[in-house]
Amino acid sequence: TVALENNGSIKTAEQKSLKVGDKVVILKVTNQGNTAYSIWDKFRLNYIYFIIIGFFAVILIFAGIKGLGSILGMIISFTVLLGFIVPQILNGRDPLLISVVGSIVIMFITIFLAHGISKKTTSAVISTFISLTITGILGFLFVKGFHLTGLGDENNVFLQIGNLQINSQGLLLGGIIIGALGVLDDVTTAQSAAIFELHKLDKKLSITDLFSKGYSIGREHIASVVNTLILAYAGASLGLFVMFVLNPTNTPVWVMLNTDMIAEEIVRAVAGSIGLILAVPITTIIASYITKRST
């Protein structure tokens, strides 16, 4: 047993909030036979386990068997990400190429696993692949056109320390593709389902009729999903927005917008949003064609 006092002239936010009974992580440092202990952080994993279990329970209760498929898909996504994409990038492979390959694998496995093998799901998979390709091309053109380095993210800057030799620009592009994939899945599967339901209600509808009616539904989806995506990016970068408004150094606005840090977030949001918008007409056309060809 080691007794530690939470004192000293400098305390972290975690140390200041400690109270009797809290579980903590202790850092042990040994130097020339002398051992010193310090409080590193609070222990949180016992709470995280409950949150994760509760999350899975909510999915299973309200989504049933499809929820189980989505959970397995999520596990597979993380497996591909941590077992293939990250190790390949660390081995010096091009992050963009590896992210594209990994995203395609995730796309095929998770969409079919969550929604089942059917012509409706096949329409969504094809549409997702096309939309993801367009998003990747736009991201590439934007990143190259704006001469972005990928070093606007402090994590990418940290990875340049040492001998890792990781392509930060490729990491930026790979992040754009992987980030867009999850939302594209939602758009394409919902839009494909809408087209197949319209056809089920009235089998006399032509491809043109299906596209017209389906696209009317899709427009509503575009408005909500794009707003959701922008808010997701804004939420992840809320600290950056605060610094932008606070502007403690009185830096001109155009100079701040011109920095890698902010320009990268703009490119990330715009490329992903355009891909989402185009996913609606793409999915509508493909699903309308496939559902009519299958009858």
Side-chain angles (χ1 to χ4, degrees), residues 27-38:
L27 177 65
K28 177 181 178 182
V29 178
T30 302
N31 184 21
Q32 297 180 349
N34 298 318
T35 301
Y37 299 89
S38 62

Side-chain angles (χ1 to χ4, degrees), residues 226-237:
V226 169
N227 187 49
T228 299
L229 182 65
I230 295 297
L231 288 177
Y233 282 126
S237 307

Side-chain angles (χ1 to χ4, degrees), residues 4 17-24 42-43 46-47:
L4 292 176
S17 64
L18 286 175
K19 58 183 182 295
V20 176
D22 284 345
K23 291 184 177 181
V24 296
K42 284 187 178 181
F43 182 74
N46 49 347
Y47 298 109

Side-chain angles (χ1 to χ4, degrees), residues 121-199:
T121 308
T122 301
S123 301
V125 169
I126 295 172
S127 304
T128 303
F129 177 76
I130 295 173
S131 302
L132 192 64
T133 301
I134 294 173
T135 302
I137 293 173
L138 289 173
F140 179 83
L141 293 175
F142 290 165
V143 168
K144 292 295 184 180
F146 284 99
H147 305 289
L148 298 177
T149 62
L151 297 177
D153 186 335
E154 61 182 12
N155 294 313
N156 290 355
V157 174
F158 178 77
L159 289 173
Q160 304 309 307
I161 300 174
N163 299 316
L164 291 177
Q165 300 297 320
I166 295 177
N167 182 349
S168 59
Q169 193 178 69
L171 278 178
L172 172 61
L173 286 166
I176 291 174
I177 291 172
I178 294 173
L181 175 60
V183 191
L184 281 172
D185 173 5
D186 174 58
V187 172
T188 57
T189 53
Q191 189 65 13
S192 179
I195 298 300
F196 274 78
E197 286 300 317
L198 286 172
H199 180 256

Side-chain angles (χ1 to χ4, degrees), residues 127 130-135 138 184 187-188 191 211 215 222 226 271-286:
S127 304
I130 295 173
S131 302
L132 192 64
T133 301
I134 294 173
T135 302
L138 289 173
L184 281 172
V187 172
T188 57
Q191 189 65 13
F211 177 82
Y215 192 54
I222 287 175
V226 169
S273 297
I274 293 176
L276 283 176
I277 293 170
L278 295 180
V280 171
I282 290 171
T283 307
T284 307
I285 293 171
I286 292 175

Side-chain angles (χ1 to χ4, degrees), residues 42-57:
K42 284 187 178 181
F43 182 74
R44 301 182 179 89
L45 292 183
N46 49 347
Y47 298 109
I48 291 177
Y49 294 145
F50 283 115
I51 291 173
I52 293 175
I53 292 172
F55 172 61
F56 287 161

